[in-house]
């Protein structure tokens, strides 16, 4: 077991379960095969081992500092950016002509998993590729030529400048302004908060992808435009973007969350990306990848915590088997042999590997929706992607948090100390259910938008995929009971959906979405149950066809064991959730008389 | 709503639900009535308001430091100790002759709740009274006269020195030694770790209650003795207790967790408390109070987090009602009006007030078991206490953690910053499921010891009490459905117990306790459901008999509302837990072949 992720498990998911190389049947991906994929994974792992994981603590201990307008971050961030840029590992999914490697998102997202598991405090490159992606997709050739190459090289940092003090989850209330100038640029003015990597000294320029309103634009989300706002203009002149403040954070301390002021001196220039008033729709086209990225961060931190707690549990002797309490002359046993500790470790493994599987399933939809030339296939995977994205963002972050807390508990008092990394992972992962749309927002997206989209077609398409897995599993005696459990869960989920739909049809959206977060929790458990059954089928087939031995035998057996654990310990939680979701008692909607709290 | 706890709610529980003053029917408590109780609560609240809460941040930012053997802690700790000592608020439950106030534990534990809610980083006095209590209960008159008064005055700090590097949860493996000397003292030698308040500069002496083995003592728990080991001897001489190290912790940073070395120079003297080899049994007689104290800390931190998140939710405008999304001209609404936020607030309220209620129920058992002169009543409350203690330690800490995390989520990105106290509470509370026996240990105590004690008599006695509450609730139409829900839950719990018992009878303790932590979770949910129904009955009676208006009306209505919330959102979780607990699939017990993790 590595220090922060299991390569064997990544290979299992990437090659045995999702057969990433087979995506090269699509012309767009035909440059890649298993060898090129593995080489890329090797390269990123090397960076993780050498330039990231060794500085996990050090970045946390030495957070970014703002001194009279100048942001300094840990110097190792520069080494990381340089290495990633030189290896061409920023924006790997970009097309060749755009300076990328045309790598499937299925693979690119694994690279994100590895770097975030190695040191999630170095969350810089994902922001840059996201920002560059926006310019790529919607910017003029001039904007592309000006910015993209310098960003993918790691020289220029990219950011997403959305949130404003008065508009957190509510982007329709954005008030930053943009006034057109004769030279085609815009004079930009506004405040942005929580801008990750919003300023630092380990790059040559910061390129903000900023949302603002062009004077006279319509109210709400339909009046928001997207601009490129660099820290320095091309001639090197200061572009009037001020670092007003840096937040002191619970975790992920290696990357600054900035409060920025654009246009303090009325001299901040921005360049429009795409058409006016379409900024939010552009943002949302990037949002799927961004949300998968945050889900990956949750899975990654949980993976690193799992690795650390397994290692501790194998080495720490404590007490004796419960059936041999009296045997005081016998030595203490490693705590991994205690059922309660084994349970906490299996829970972590089930969450980490189940989450990663769900995320790769989702990334695969991105790839097929993008690369397929068959319109029907394209639409199918696009719709499944729309449905899975909020779940793939939420399950790994919410349950990742629970997994990390269990990892800390495995270490007892030592888990609470800075002698082990668990306490840091517990702090770091806490932001992930908030980033890129909180769990509440994701849940409203799932139930409010995705479940009702096209008369429920996305869910129909997804359930058909799940049914395929169930059918495969039923061919194995050992898996049959789990196939049947999953079938029952699908039925339960449909019942709940049917119970809620009438509220949507009556237009009582508030009532319909009242417990959306619980619906999300239930759907997430079932989606991951599907992933575990899928992994169980692949493992079972491997055991039957390859007759593996030694570590390989143990690996596949532990996959089936963990699948069983998930079904016996996690899946039953849907019973209580379904009861509540079908329950007609309304307790969280304001009546005229406000509840005293 | 106060900044860290609701006095109105404390009054409701203390006076209306548990009628603490009525304990003065027992001669031992006859000096107290509602007035003396309220005066004591006022006094502690004043200390909390003036000397504790204002320094919450400052203690966290300036943790204890160890410089060449000398421990310095935040100077405000001294002011706090002085004020508590002078007001006679350390060891309030001690008898008058022992220098206490002979206050019921029901009230004393509320004082602990208030100080821990105000600033849990000042966790010093509970340790002192616990240590002084051991000397009081089991020490010679000489030991009592020498130590107790100085400890209760706050001049001398007390500690519990149990844990050793190789013996965390497994006290039977303690190796510290004690060699009898001609003068009646013992020469003590050993290492102790995680000793809270194990050394600091805001007191005149540190009195360690230390577990060690007298030479030639039997192996295991039956060979452990208890000693008083002061930092300085009575003549002021250094007693060879070295501060070897201080742990850097995730939270509760105001109080140092020390690594101590006794007898580095072979000159550390200890004085035996009680009889040889009985040390652990003495410790366990103090353990109930200590575990209630940790449960209180969980409830207290969750209370402070709840207060902070409610305040934020009332003030923070964001977005519009889900049924009025389009109304962009209408102002944003305070987020407390969003159902998902209301749900997170109600969850916190349900956990905080349900936990506090369960803790007072448990403390009341301490009082009656102690003060009753009717042997049958005495035994009854002693047995219920034995059963409730591990639950009262675990539910408020495990669910308190969930509540605090929900509180942080209410604040979104701001919750992750140091601009608000939520991130600190999230760190602080994480130790509580570990202190004084981890959740795993508490769960083994509940299912392994307390459920089987005297043929299950403790559970029978408890269920009879629950039945009384159900009967009262059934007299109110509005509460009847909840009374029936609770009845059904009791049945479910009995089914689960019956399903597990055979393993215990066969002596397969490992299998019996395999999922003890899930049994604890289920029992905890039901125990708190009982407390909520109890509160519902009292609130309902108040509404009917007092016809309250204004804030009082709102208070009682919100009690019934929160009771309903708990039954509709939290209680259904037992369905999945029961399925797992009755499930025969064994997945966490080692087979001969170890599972690859």
């Amino acid at each position: 077991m590595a220090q922060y992720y299991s390569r064997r498990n990544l290979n299992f998911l990437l090659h045995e379960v999702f057969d990433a190389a087979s995506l090269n049947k699509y012309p767009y991906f035909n440059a890649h095969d298993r060898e090129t994929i593995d080489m890329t994974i090797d390269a990123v792992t090397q960076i993780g081992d050498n330039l990231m994981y060794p500085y996990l603590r050090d970045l946390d201990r030495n957070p970014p500092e703002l001194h009279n307008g100048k942001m300094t971050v840990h110097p190792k961030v520069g080494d990381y950016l340089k290495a990633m840029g030189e290896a061409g590992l920023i924006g790997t999914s970009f097309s060749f002509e755009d300076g990328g490697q045309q790598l499937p998102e299925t693979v690119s997202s694994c690279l994100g998993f590895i770097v975030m598991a190695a040191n999630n405090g170095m969350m810089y490159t994902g922001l840059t590729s996201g920002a560059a992606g926006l310019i790529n997709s919607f910017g003029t050739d001039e904007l592309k030529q000006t910015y993209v190459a310098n960003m993918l090289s790691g020289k220029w940092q990219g950011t997403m400048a959305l949130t404003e003090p008065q508009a957190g989850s509510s982007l329709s209330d954005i008030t930053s302004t943009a006034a057109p100038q004769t030279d085609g640029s815009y004079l930009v003015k506004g405040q942005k908060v929580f801008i990750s990597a919003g300023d630092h000294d380990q790059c040559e320029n910061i390129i903000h992808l900023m949302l603002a309103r062009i004077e006279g634009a319509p109210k709400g989300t339909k009046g928001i435009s997207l601009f490129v706002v660099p820290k320095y203009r091309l001639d090197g002149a200061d572009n009037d973007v001020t670092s007003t403040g840096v937040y002191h954070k619970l975790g992920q301390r290696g990357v600054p969350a900035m409060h920025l002021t654009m246009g303090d001196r009325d001299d901040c220039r921005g360049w429009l990306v795409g058409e006016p008033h379409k900024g939010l729709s552009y943002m949302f086209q990037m949002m799927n990848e961004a949300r998968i990225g945050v889900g990956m961060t949750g899975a990654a931190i949980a993976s690193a915590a799992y690795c650390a707690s397994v290692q501790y549990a194998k080495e720490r002797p404590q007490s004796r088997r419960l059936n041999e309490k009296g045997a005081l002359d016998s030595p203490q046993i490693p705590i991994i042999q205690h059922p309660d500790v084994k349970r906490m470790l299996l829970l972590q493994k089930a969450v980490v590997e189940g989450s990663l599987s769900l995320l790769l399933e989702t990334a695969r939809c991105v790839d097929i929706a993008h690369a397929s030339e068959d319109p029907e296939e394209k639409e199918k995977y696009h719709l499944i992607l729309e449905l899975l994205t909020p779940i793939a963002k939420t399950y790994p972050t919410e349950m990742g948090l629970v997994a990390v807390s269990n990892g800390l508990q495995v270490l007892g008092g030592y888990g609470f100390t800075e002698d082990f990394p668990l306490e840091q992972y517990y702090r770091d992962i806490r932001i992930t259910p908030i980033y890129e749309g909180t769990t509440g927002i994701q849940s409203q997206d799932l139930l409010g938008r995705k479940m009702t989209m096209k008369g429920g077609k996305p869910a129909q398409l997804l359930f058909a995929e799940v049914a395929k897995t169930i059918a495969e599993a039923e061919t194995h005696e050992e898996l049959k009971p789990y196939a049947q459990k999953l079938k029952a869960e699908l039925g339960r989920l449909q019942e709940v959906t049917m119970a809620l739909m009438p509220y949507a049809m009556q237009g009582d959206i508030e009532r319909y979405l009242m417990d959306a977060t619980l619906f999300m929790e239930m759907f997430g458990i079932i989606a991951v149950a599907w992933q575990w059954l899928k992994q169980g089928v692949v493992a079972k087939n491997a055991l039957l066809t390859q007759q593996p031995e030694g570590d390989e035998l143990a690996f596949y057996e532990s996959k089936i064991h963990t699948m069983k654990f998930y079904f016996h310990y996690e899946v039953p939680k849907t019973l209580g959730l379904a009861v509540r979701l079908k329950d007609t008692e309304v307790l969280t909607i304001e009546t005229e008389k406000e509840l005293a709290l």
Side-chain angles (χ1 to χ4, degrees), chain A residues 406-511:
Chain A
N406 273 268
L408 190 155
Q409 189 74 13
V410 166
L411 276 70
Y414 290 102
F416 196 68
T417 69
E418 296 179 358
D419 303 357
F420 293 88
L422 277 304
E423 66 86 21
Q424 182 180 337
Y425 294 137
Y426 174 77
R427 289 184 286 111
D428 290 344
I429 198 171
R430 188 59 190 83
I431 189 61
T432 59
I434 295 169
Y435 272 155
E436 287 294 337
T438 63
T439 294
I441 296 293
Q442 301 298 330
S443 303
Q444 289 180 14
D445 179 53
L446 173 64
L447 186 57
R449 230 178 270 117
K450 308 306 174 62
M451 289 301 289
T452 53
M453 188 181 259
K454 300 205 167 195
K457 194 169 177 194
Q460 289 156 26
L461 290 165
L462 179 73
F463 293 168
E465 292 299 301
V466 177
K468 284 182 201 162
T469 307
I470 290 171
E472 287 170 58
E474 278 171 333
T475 64
H476 299 289
E477 268 317 306
E478 189 179 9
L479 303 184
K480 207 177 246 169
Y482 301 96
Q484 279 149 10
K485 281 177 194 284
L486 183 54
K487 202 180 286 177
E489 292 303 323
L490 278 187
R492 205 188 312 281
L493 186 60
Q494 277 151 337
E495 269 177 38
V496 166
T497 311
M498 287 306 120
L500 292 172
M501 270 313 155
Y503 302 113
M505 292 173 177
Q506 295 149 23
D508 188 353
I509 305 306
E510 195 163 23
R511 171 63 183 86

Side-chain angles (χ1 to χ4, degrees), chain A residues 76-285:
Chain A
K76 291 293 174 188
V77 170
D79 301 350
Y80 163 71
L81 290 173
K82 193 160 178 294
M84 289 289 279
E86 284 173 355
L89 291 169
I90 305 175
T92 45
S93 56
F94 287 33
S95 68
F96 290 122
E97 62 164 327
D98 292 330
Q101 297 189 24
Q102 224 156 293
L103 206 61
E105 191 61 32
T106 310
V107 180
S108 294
S109 62
C110 289
L111 308 184
F113 172 76
I114 294 165
V115 293
M116 287 298 96
N119 188 340
N120 78 89
M122 289 190 178
M123 186 194 66
Y124 289 84
T125 50
L127 295 160
T128 298
S129 57
L134 277 170
I135 300 175
N136 240 331
S137 312
F138 309 108
T140 60
D141 289 346
E142 192 191 345
L143 281 179
K144 287 168 69 168
Q145 278 142 27
T146 312
Y147 292 100
V148 175
N150 281 320
M151 292 171 81
L152 298 195
S153 73
K155 286 201 195 76
W156 293 2
Q157 175 69 51
T159 86
M160 302 287 212
L162 286 69
T163 306
E164 299 182 0
Q166 80 295 346
S169 296
S170 169
L171 290 173
S172 58
D173 293 291
I174 279 178
T175 59
S176 292
T177 57
Q181 305 299 299
T182 50
D183 67 355
S185 74
Y186 286 76
L187 207 52
V188 174
K189 205 171 171 54
Q191 303 270 328
K192 295 290 179 179
V193 292
F194 297 121
I195 308 309
S196 295
D199 190 12
H200 67 87
D201 61 340
Q202 295 299 313
C203 61
E204 296 168 12
N205 200 357
I206 311 268
I207 312 306
H208 304 289
L209 274 288
M210 175 181 176
L211 293 179
R213 294 180 182 284
I214 298 172
E215 291 171 338
K219 281 208 163 69
T221 54
K222 291 184 177 47
I224 298 172
S225 304
L226 181 64
F227 298 87
V228 173
V229 179
K231 179 181 181 184
Y232 300 111
R233 296 179 200 158
L234 301 183
D235 59 10
D238 180 306
N239 192 36
D240 190 18
V241 178
T242 313
S243 290
T244 309
V246 59
Y247 292 96
H248 296 280
K249 298 184 296 177
L250 171 62
Q252 258 196 6
R253 297 180 145 183
V255 60
M258 303 295 303
H259 179 169
L260 301 173
T261 307
M262 279 79 168
D264 229 0
R265 304 188 311 269
D266 295 315
D267 189 28
C268 179
R269 298 305 176 103
W271 286 267
L272 183 67
V273 178
E275 298 173 35
H277 314 325
K278 296 223 170 133
L280 210 57
S281 63
Y282 299 152
M283 268 298 173
F284 272 101
Q285 288 182 56

Side-chain angles (χ1 to χ4, degrees), chain A residues 12 51 76 107 126 132 183 202-203 240 293 328 359 384 386 388 446 466 468 515 518 531 567 596:
Chain A
F12 173 76
L51 300 177
K76 291 293 174 188
V107 180
D183 67 355
Q202 295 299 313
C203 61
D240 190 18
L328 295 172
L359 284 154
I384 295 177
E386 288 293 313
L388 284 184
L446 173 64
V466 177
K468 284 182 201 162
D515 289 331
L518 276 65
Q531 292 304 309
F567 273 93

Side-chain angles (χ1 to χ4, degrees), chain A residues 302-368:
Chain A
S303 165
Y306 171 58
C307 294
S309 65
V310 168
Q311 190 194 346
Y312 182 88
K314 286 178 174 171
E315 294 168 0
R316 169 72 170 173
Q318 188 80 138
S319 193
R320 288 151 198 86
R321 300 267 307 245
L322 285 165
N323 286 349
E324 299 157 7
K325 269 277 183 204
L328 295 172
D329 295 325
S330 64
Q332 300 196 69
I333 59 171
I335 62 172
I336 195 171
Q337 291 180 32
H338 295 304
D340 196 53
V341 172
K342 180 67 59 66
R343 182 186 57 76
M344 291 190 278
L345 295 171
L346 280 166
L347 172 69
Q348 293 178 75
K349 182 178 166 71
V351 169
V352 170
E353 298 176 4
S355 295
L356 185 53
S357 189
L358 179 65
L359 284 154
L360 293 191
E361 182 85 53
T362 310
R364 192 164 157 279
C365 293
V366 174
D367 292 326
I368 301 177

